[in-house]
Amino acid sequence: MKVLTANTLSDGIAVWHSGSGWSLSIHDALVAADAEAESRLSTLGALSFANNEVVDVNLIDVEIRQGKPHPIRLRERIRADGPSIDYAGKSAAEGI
């Protein structure tokens, strides 16, 4: 299973595609369960990139836990959940 992720142009914030637009929460992401759905998400990402809406568009692997997508790779979990250490006066549990 995969979801489509990217970064916003203005501030680099990680976003995920819901099927109808970009969301700040991975839990809103549309999950592609087969190659055809992955292709549709890739097309949406390519269009958003071409329209200068986002950069660094990628399909990432996820697993479903309690009905919500969760990234498998550590890099993507950090992008979804925030830093793993305290940063700029915020605790890792709070996110940025």
Side-chain angles (χ1 to χ4, degrees):
M1 288 180 270
K2 296 188 184 284
V3 297
L4 185 66
T5 186
N7 295 89
T8 58
L9 287 172
S10 61
D11 54 16
I13 297 290
V15 290
W16 291 266
H17 208 286
S18 68
S20 60
W22 293 99
S23 172
L24 295 174
S25 174
I26 191 171
H27 296 164
D28 295 332
L30 179 65
V31 178
D34 58 37
E36 186 178 321
E38 287 177 24
S39 178
R40 285 192 302 269
L41 278 178
S42 289
T43 299
L44 289 172
L47 287 171
S48 288
F49 178 77
N51 289 331
N52 292 316
E53 297 170 6
V54 293
V55 294
D56 195 23
V57 181
N58 293 291
L59 284 173
I60 63 163
D61 294 313
V62 296
E63 61 185 358
I64 304 300
R65 285 193 256 143
Q66 298 178 334
K68 302 287 184 182
H70 291 270
I72 293 174
R73 291 183 59 214
L74 177 60
R75 175 187 186 270
E76 301 305 334
R77 288 195 308 259
I78 292 169
R79 289 179 75 240
D81 297 334
S84 58
I85 60 170
D86 290 351
Y87 179 76
K90 298 244 182 186
S91 75
E94 293 175 65
I96 288 196

